Amino acid sequence: MEFDLTWLLLGLPLAFGLGWLASRLDLRQLREDNRRAPKAYFKGLNYLLNEQQDQAIDVFIEAVQNDPDTTELHFALGNLFRRRGEYNRAVRVHEHLLSRGDLSRSDRERAQHALAQDFLKAGLLDRAEDALRRLEGTPYEAQARMALLAIYERSRDWGQASDIAQRMQASGQGDFSTRQAHYLCEQALTLATRGELPAARSLLEQAITAAPQAARARIELAHLQQRQGQADAALATLQAVADTTPAALALAAPLLVEAAVAGGRTQQVGALLRQHYADMPSLDLLDAVVALEGAGGASPEAARQWYVRHLEKEASLVAATKWLAGERLEHEQYHPQIQRALEQASKPLTRYRCAACGFEARQHFWQCPGCQSWDSYPARRVEEL
């Protein structure tokens, strides 16, 4: 059978035409898909800018269903769910991303970081810890370590917190020596509560070595020494506080008075307190001076004259209230009511206030109970700020 070249000549143009038509159809479909994807982005973005999160989520969900391989839409959708507090849905979105085998390494690390944030926001600290530890060696390592540090501080796992802080300092993320000292102090307080005083003292000495400029370790050590009946040692430790961080001496003023009376050194400590009060007047130092004046043999009236001297320098309702408590009024029968009203009015002024979040408390905290910041409470009362 002879082959007819005529069919070949006719078939080649036909095959070419069909191929060209198919390519045009594929290009048209591709262009339509590309138009639809940006349109979904812009439509969702428009809803976000108008703070219409529900509509934005609907648009992004529809876009993800039409094109499940679009990772950016998954990230946008997961972040929206997290912002709305729908943490379970955010977790599902990011876990779905991590389950994909075609995900690039950078997108996988990004999804892992987003999943850790979902768990943190949801308060699932165990799962958040595991997710954050998977970010070691990634571009999100520094952020993950900071989040881990917050978790361990929140759960009061001071050993783990110390380990993370050491690694952060070694990697150049900052100076964490003061925090390390706080962690050692927290562990020492736990040991002291259990009666393990030598071990507690050892940790406090380590804290002083770690952060010589921080006052807390020395103040806690002085408390421990006073508890063990070592008044002279406590006074020596508090003298070191006065030398290294004089602003913090006000926090140790009641302990100074106690140690001075116990050690029979009221004159010496009184001179120290008067000197520091002259340099930086403080209500706590003022109370300590008045207490030592009385312990040293001065009459109550003479001791309370320090409140008058303070009032000559600064208008202080707290100082006025304390001075008036020992005075006799012309209408003495009204004194209790007046004194009670003044004490009630001055009570808020004797609190401490966090400089980071404004949380107020009657006692001084080294870590704010409100915002968890360290060393955010000045060693001064609200009235002195």
Side-chain angles (χ1 to χ4, degrees):
M1 180 178 178
E2 294 183 1
F3 182 72
D4 191 350
L5 293 175
T6 304
W7 290 106
L8 180 61
L9 293 173
L10 290 174
L12 284 173
L14 180 61
F16 177 78
L18 291 173
W20 179 84
L21 182 61
S23 67
R24 296 298 298 174
L25 290 174
D26 288 342
L27 287 172
R28 182 181 299 175
Q29 182 65 34
L30 181 62
R31 282 196 294 268
E32 288 179 359
D33 291 344
N34 288 338
R35 288 194 194 101
R36 280 200 298 268
K39 185 177 180 181
Y41 276 114
F42 292 133
K43 190 175 181 181
L45 180 61
N46 183 55
Y47 282 131
L48 284 179
L49 292 174
N50 290 319
E51 298 184 357
Q52 296 174 285
Q53 294 187 12
D54 290 333
Q55 293 87 335
I57 286 176
D58 292 338
V59 169
F60 286 142
I61 288 176
E62 182 181 355
V64 167
Q65 290 172 345
N66 293 332
D67 186 6
D69 294 331
T70 308
T71 56
E72 287 299 330
L73 282 177
H74 280 78
F75 283 122
L77 194 57
N79 290 338
L80 275 175
F81 283 143
R82 191 192 311 126
R83 287 183 61 185
R84 286 171 55 84
E86 299 180 51
Y87 304 122
N88 289 336
R89 299 179 76 181
V91 166
R92 286 201 299 271
V93 169
H94 294 129
E95 285 183 336
H96 171 70
L97 273 174
L98 287 170
S99 68
R100 285 173 45 180
D102 62 339
L103 202 64
S104 67
R105 179 177 177 178
S106 61
D107 282 342
R108 185 171 299 279
E109 292 167 349
R110 181 181 173 191
Q112 184 67 42
H113 181 244
L115 182 63
Q117 290 180 302
D118 297 337
F119 290 141
L120 278 174
K121 290 291 186 180
L124 303 173
L125 300 186
D126 289 342
R127 300 182 71 180
E129 179 185 354
D130 180 65
L132 289 167
R133 286 197 172 276
R134 295 174 185 269
L135 292 169
E136 285 288 330
T138 72
Y140 301 97
E141 181 180 73
Q143 299 175 50
R145 285 177 174 175
M146 187 60 74
L148 279 170
L149 193 65
I151 288 175
Y152 294 137
E153 288 183 357
R154 183 174 172 184
S155 59
R156 303 185 70 79
D157 189 342
W158 305 117
Q160 292 272 36
S162 179
D163 178 62
I164 290 291
Q166 286 176 4
R167 280 191 274 169
M168 292 174 73
Q169 184 155 345
S171 63
Q173 285 185 242
D175 182 8
F176 290 86
S177 58
T178 302
R179 280 206 188 188
Q180 292 279 27
H182 280 303
Y183 300 154
L184 290 167
C185 287
E186 293 289 346
Q187 294 175 75
L189 289 177
T190 301
L191 291 174
T193 302
R194 298 203 298 253
E196 301 177 33
L197 302 187
R201 180 166 185 160
S202 176
L203 288 179
L204 290 174
E205 289 170 350
Q206 291 178 42
I208 293 172
T209 303
Q213 75 287 354
R216 182 187 182 182
R218 287 191 172 91
I219 293 176
E220 299 291 2
L221 178 59
H223 275 289
L224 189 61
Q225 290 166 334
Q226 181 65 18
R227 177 178 170 181
Q228 294 178 303
Q230 302 170 358
D232 288 342
L235 287 174
T237 302
L238 293 175
Q239 178 65 61
V241 173
D243 295 337
T244 56
T245 50
L249 189 63
L251 299 175
L255 180 59
L256 259 175
V257 173
E258 182 182 344
V261 173
R265 297 168 63 181
T266 56
Q267 296 297 325
Q268 179 183 347
V269 175
L272 172 68
L273 286 171
R274 287 192 295 272
Q275 179 60 49
H276 278 269
Y277 172 79
D279 294 338
M280 48 183 72
S282 159
L283 289 171
D284 291 297
L285 291 178
L286 178 62
D287 286 339
V289 168
V290 172
L292 281 182
E293 288 282 324
S299 65
E301 292 77 12
R304 286 188 298 102
Q305 283 302 307
W306 278 92
Y307 290 124
V308 177
R309 296 173 196 169
H310 186 81
L311 289 169
E312 291 171 354
K313 299 177 182 178
E314 300 179 20
S316 169
L317 181 61
V318 175
T321 301
K322 291 182 177 182
W323 174 79
L324 193 62
E327 290 297 305
R328 293 188 62 83
L329 304 181
E330 181 178 354
H331 301 285
E332 185 60 24
Q333 67 272 26
Y334 303 127
H335 195 170
Q337 298 93 312
I338 295 172
Q339 190 66 35
R340 190 162 52 248
L342 287 173
E343 288 173 356
Q344 188 68 23
S346 64
K347 189 178 296 183
L349 302 178
T350 61
R351 296 173 181 166
Y352 295 97
R353 179 187 296 155
C354 174
C357 70
F359 187 91
E360 293 187 2
R362 285 183 293 179
Q363 71 179 81
H364 180 275
F365 286 102
W366 297 104
Q367 185 185 27
C368 176
C371 65
Q372 306 300 306
S373 298
W374 289 100
D375 296 315
S376 59
Y377 276 85
R380 302 181 73 80
R381 308 283 179 168
V382 167
E383 188 183 58
E384 302 173 277
L385 298 177

